[in-house]
Amino acid sequence: MRVQADTHRCIGAGMCVLTVPEVFDQGEEDGLVVLLDAEPPPERQAAVERAERLCPSGAISILREAEA
Amino acid sequence: MPESRTGPIRFPLDHVGLFDPPETLRSLREERPVAPMTYADGHVGWLVTGYAAARSILADPRFSSRRELLHPPVPRSMTPDMYKPSDPGQFVRMDPPEHTRYRKLLVARFTVRRMKLLEPRIREITEERLAAMVAAGPPQDLVKGFALPVPSLVICELLGVPYADREEFQHATSVFLDWESTAAEIQTALDDVTTYLSGLIKRKRAEPTDDLFTELITGGELSDVELVNIGFLLLAAGHETTANMLGLGTLALLRHPEQLAALRADPSLIDNTIEELMRYLSIVHVGPIRAALEDVEIEGELIRAGDVVTVSLPAVNRDPTRFPDPERLDITRPATGQMSFGHGVHQCLGQQLARTEMRIAFPMLFERFPTLRLAVPAEKVPMRDTMLIYGVRELTVEW
Ligand code: HEM
Ligand code: SF4
């Protein structure tokens, strides 16, 4: 699984950080999403998918097997 | 497209009991989750009661937040600035890229990490209010003694607005949120708060302090008009909302003693309890409101360019296709995905602050008063029936 986070779309709502702090953070200066782990291990997959769904601005995308 | 049998409805406002949204919303959600609705000024637009439809509308850039495009869903008196573009700084009623510019100036101050840093201070503030309640003894109004002052003190400190001046913006906020206020009352309240904030900006320019408002003022990117409008937006949005969650949330837990007992037995349930209370109470009762910029089809309904769409958060948060057995308050259900903070680019800027405040305030309250209970019959609790944000006006408790 590969994860992408688009800082141009991000509105800094912080849902990703709350959901998977191991994978997402927010920049100290701009409050926007920072990807800590672009290839999270399989055991985080469900949580990352939840973050993708919860992100209000559609800034998070997951590239699944076929596309990756 | 099915024709509605009785013609477009009006926005329903008749709550059932203390916590349940109007019955009409439930039947609409079953029959026509995107339904035609007549607005207070005669515009015929839409009312959205289904979760999936609300989510797709709020995430869709073809739906605009621009004030000049909106119509009032509730019979709120016509404010003088209705149908006019937002003034600079009023970014809730703007679209990207104007909205983006303001939002980006502010997000860094409201991150999850920043909110964690505030925790010790929020705990102190909460402790002070609880100690004052103990000192004064029962019975007491929990709204006046706890639910309102805690978030007000927090937002005042964060912004650097003297708490002693709270009357200046608390009054304006409640006038603004009451749909029975007259246009003249609203105008006067806005003028007063503008005068107050302009003075504060001058004082902070002369004597900078260590707070968010000073940073915005001295940052040099915002005009005085923008500063006043952002200041009022943050003050208003930052205290009435959380205050109502604390007041109504306490009532909800007291009326569902088995849920309160479960939380007391397992304090780690607090985060989920907050999401579930947000879902179940959905205190923003009117809106978010958007206007279609082009023709859009949603759930088989053709929304035409110019049509205004009002989402009912209480309805969408009780959509059984998203939350099984939705009428039940259940602090153990998976409640993430509740939409009470909105969705899309306007999703609440202060949501992590609100969560932090609630995560601290609720447990401290119930810990300090193990025997907390209502001092009046539940039917006698005065509710905020005419407010855009629902809650209790007063909550007399004893312990
Ligand atoms: C439980 C408490 C709260 C609730 C239920 C709530 C609800 C909401 C909702 C539904 C929106 C979206 C409006 C729309 O889409 O048109 C919103 C936006 C906003 N909220 Fe909150 N809010 C809460 C607490 C706070 C706090 C504590 C602040 C403090 C700063 C705040 C500041 C804002 C701001 C500035 C916006 C506008 C964001 C934008 O347009 O980009 N809110 N809130
Ligand atoms: S959830 Fe989305 S909008 Fe919020 S910080 Fe993460 S990426 Fe940004």
Side-chain angles (χ1 to χ4, degrees):
Chain A
M1 177 180 48
R2 276 194 71 83
V3 186
Q4 287 181 340
D6 182 348
T7 49
H8 294 289
R9 302 189 73 152
C10 173
I11 51 141
M15 293 313 295
C16 54
V17 189
L18 276 192
T19 312
V20 217
E22 298 85 358
V23 175
F24 302 103
D25 198 356
Q26 283 172 286
E28 190 63 51
E29 291 294 311
D30 61 9
L32 300 180
V33 60
V34 174
L35 196 53
L36 299 176
D37 184 356
E39 289 183 50
E43 65 267 24
R44 297 225 204 288
Q45 175 147 352
V48 173
E49 283 171 355
R50 210 173 324 126
E52 180 192 30
R53 276 196 309 276
L54 284 175
C55 171
S57 64
I60 294 170
S61 45
I62 300 177
L63 302 177
R64 290 177 178 81
E65 286 304 299
E67 313 152 64
Chain B
M1 185 170 58
E3 276 311 307
S4 75
R5 275 156 281 154
T6 50
I9 43 103
R10 298 252 171 194
F11 193 91
L13 294 166
D14 44 328
H15 303 109
V16 183
L18 299 172
F19 307 118
D20 293 333
E23 193 55 45
T24 323
L25 292 173
R26 185 207 312 234
S27 42
L28 274 176
R29 191 178 53 220
E30 281 165 15
E31 286 159 28
R32 209 169 167 186
V34 179
M37 178 174 83
T38 305
Y39 284 63
D41 59 359
H43 172 80
V44 178
W46 302 87
L47 173 62
V48 179
T49 48
Y51 184 92
R55 243 181 105 92
S56 67
I57 288 168
L58 293 178
D60 189 335
R62 292 174 298 175
F63 287 94
S64 168
S65 288
R66 277 156 55 197
R67 187 168 70 192
E68 68 272 28
L69 303 178
L70 304 182
H71 293 273
V74 290
R76 166 181 186 147
S77 52
M78 305 285 159
T79 57
D81 54 7
M82 198 177 275
Y83 312 124
K84 286 203 298 206
S86 287
D87 292 335
Q90 292 171 342
F91 61 94
V92 215
R93 293 265 184 265
M94 292 182 187
D95 290 342
E98 291 79 17
H99 166 262
T100 322
R101 176 181 158 241
Y102 295 108
R103 181 104 189 182
K104 294 215 158 153
L105 277 175
L106 292 167
V107 284
R109 310 307 248 92
F110 290 91
T111 59
V112 173
R113 189 180 309 121
R114 290 279 185 124
M115 296 306 120
K116 280 233 150 55
L117 294 177
L118 290 179
E119 279 177 8
R121 185 57 195 134
I122 296 176
R123 225 169 263 125
E124 268 171 34
I125 286 172
T126 310
E127 179 52 38
E128 283 161 21
R129 301 317 308 176
L130 290 172
M133 280 179 68
V134 171
Q140 265 188 64
D141 176 12
L142 191 85
V143 172
K144 214 185 268 143
F146 184 77
L148 188 58
V150 169
S152 303
L153 280 155
V154 171
I155 195 73
C156 279
E157 254 187 56
L158 189 67
L159 282 175
V161 171
Y163 182 65
D165 298 348
R166 63 191 177 280
E167 268 303 308
E168 307 273 0
F169 62 87
Q170 278 182 351
H171 173 71
T173 308
S174 52
V175 170
F176 205 66
L177 289 175
D178 189 338
W179 64 65
E180 289 185 344
S181 300
T182 65
E185 282 166 345
I186 292 176
Q187 191 58 55
T188 310
L190 288 178
D191 290 347
D192 288 351
V193 89
T194 302
T195 310
Y196 169 70
L197 285 172
S198 305
L200 185 67
I201 291 167
K202 245 189 229 111
R203 292 202 296 281
K204 285 191 177 289
R205 226 178 236 126
E207 275 175 65
T209 35
D210 182 17
D211 52 62
L212 171 52
F213 208 32
T214 303
E215 265 180 50
L216 293 175
I217 292 166
T218 55
E221 289 191 62
L222 296 167
S223 69
D224 277 19
V225 178
E226 290 175 315
L227 287 165
V228 166
N229 287 326
I230 293 175
F232 183 46
L233 175 58
L234 293 176
L235 283 172
H239 80 280
E240 276 266 2
T241 45
T242 314
N244 283 299
M245 272 308 295
L246 290 176
L248 192 62
T250 302
L251 180 62
L253 289 170
L254 291 177
R255 299 296 291 163
H256 295 81
E258 76 297 342
Q259 300 294 318
L260 181 53
L263 175 61
R264 284 192 153 127
D266 180 1
S268 76
L269 285 173
I270 185 61
D271 287 334
N272 204 64
T273 301
I274 288 163
E275 296 308 303
E276 173 65 352
L277 285 172
M278 291 285 302
R279 182 197 72 82
Y280 181 73
L281 300 172
S282 299
I283 57 169
V284 174
H285 267 201
V286 183
I289 309 169
R290 300 289 186 265
L293 294 172
E294 44 186 278
D295 293 1
V296 183
E297 200 180 301
I298 305 264
E299 310 231 338
E301 310 282 355
L302 180 63
I303 299 174
R304 298 223 176 251
D307 286 2
V308 171
V309 174
T310 297
V311 173
S312 165
L313 294 176
V316 308
N317 277 331
R318 292 187 184 208
D319 186 334
T321 62
R322 180 62 181 75
F323 300 104
D325 197 6
E327 313 294 337
R328 231 166 63 89
L329 176 71
D330 174 3
I331 63 167
T332 63
R333 80 161 72 230
T336 50
Q338 56 81 11
M339 264 207 275
S340 290
F341 286 119
H343 186 64
V345 297
H346 290 277
Q347 196 186 60
C348 184
L349 174 73
Q351 59 183 294
Q352 307 311 348
L353 175 58
R355 286 193 174 95
T356 305
E357 292 173 321
M358 288 187 273
R359 196 188 305 124
I360 292 171
F362 279 124
M364 284 179 70
L365 173 70
F366 290 114
E367 200 169 302
R368 177 59 74 99
F369 302 118
T371 56
L372 191 73
R373 59 188 177 270
L374 290 182
V376 293
E379 323 75 77
K380 291 265 166 64
V381 174
M383 307 305 288
R384 292 162 50 102
D385 284 325
T386 66
M387 301 298 263
L388 299 170
I389 298 177
Y390 190 59
V392 291
R393 288 184 195 275
E394 253 177 52
L395 191 64
T396 314
V397 292
E398 55 193 15
W399 54 86

